[in-house]
Amino acid sequence: ADQEEMVAFRDMIKELQALRWRERLRHEAALKRLAEAQRRFNMQTSPFETSMFEIQQQIEAVSLEVKTSHEQRMTKQAELETVQRECEVEQEELLQTQLGFQRVNNSLRLRHQEIGEALQALRREQNLHEGSIEALLADNERCRRCLHAVRFETETERFVPHTTLERLKQDPMVNIK
């Protein structure tokens, strides 16, 4: 009985080994089919994956460029805002300067007008004085003639009309005291 059992176990071991061998062959065949299917799949998807990888690299490069451009834009925007504020300040200062210039210009015009009016008043006054001087000179000359006519003299001066004095100065031969 033990021997029969041993034979039965040996037969069962042989059957299991044969089954294991068939399973192994089937498994290897399945692995070969799987490897072939994977190879075909890779060959079919390889161009797609390659192009997808290239596109992904291009996207990353473009994203980097966009990021750099955005940073530069933000920097330029900040600079622009700074320059605009400076420009506004300069414009305000320019307006204040122009306003000050207008004030000074208006005050100078008023001053010029006042000086012109004062100058005209002084010229009128000068004309009046010149007229008075001419009148006094004429009266002085008339008085000298009258004094000369009556032969009036002082110890230091003899009253001779100016026209006569000028004629005498031109003619050195005549000597009047």
Side-chain angles (χ1 to χ4, degrees), residues 104-162:
V104 168
N105 193 19
N106 288 340
S107 70
L108 287 175
R109 282 185 184 154
L110 288 174
R111 182 74 177 138
H112 181 265
Q113 186 178 2
E114 291 171 358
I115 289 173
E117 290 172 357
L119 182 63
Q120 286 178 351
L122 288 173
R123 284 186 180 156
R124 283 192 299 269
E125 190 177 332
Q126 181 184 7
N127 289 337
L128 287 174
H129 288 298
E130 286 176 354
S132 297
I133 288 171
E134 288 176 8
L136 281 174
L137 285 175
D139 186 47
N140 191 18
E141 188 64 27
R142 187 185 58 77
C143 291
R144 277 185 169 276
R145 287 179 186 212
C146 288
L147 288 173
H148 180 65
V150 291
R151 301 212 181 260
F152 182 77
E153 296 181 5
T154 65
E155 292 178 8
T156 59
E157 187 177 1
R158 196 171 157 208
F159 294 98
V160 180
H162 283 290

Side-chain angles (χ1 to χ4, degrees), residues 11-74:
D11 286 339
M12 190 184 334
I13 288 175
K14 284 183 184 177
E15 285 177 17
L16 285 174
Q17 283 177 344
L19 181 66
R20 192 180 115 201
W21 182 253
R22 282 191 306 262
E23 287 293 321
R24 186 174 189 188
L25 290 177
R26 221 175 65 202
H27 182 282
E28 286 176 1
L31 277 176
K32 285 182 183 178
R33 284 193 314 268
L34 184 62
E36 181 63 27
Q38 189 175 6
R39 188 184 61 78
R40 276 184 277 140
F41 178 77
N42 284 342
M43 287 180 71
Q44 289 174 353
T45 60
S46 178
F48 176 74
E49 287 178 355
T50 305
S51 64
M52 191 170 114
F53 180 72
E54 289 172 356
I55 290 173
Q56 188 175 10
Q57 286 180 337
Q58 290 174 354
I59 287 173
E60 288 174 2
V62 169
S63 295
L64 182 63
E65 288 177 12
V66 167
K67 181 181 176 185
T68 305
S69 295
H70 182 69
E71 289 172 356
Q72 289 176 350
R73 181 179 176 270
M74 296 307 281

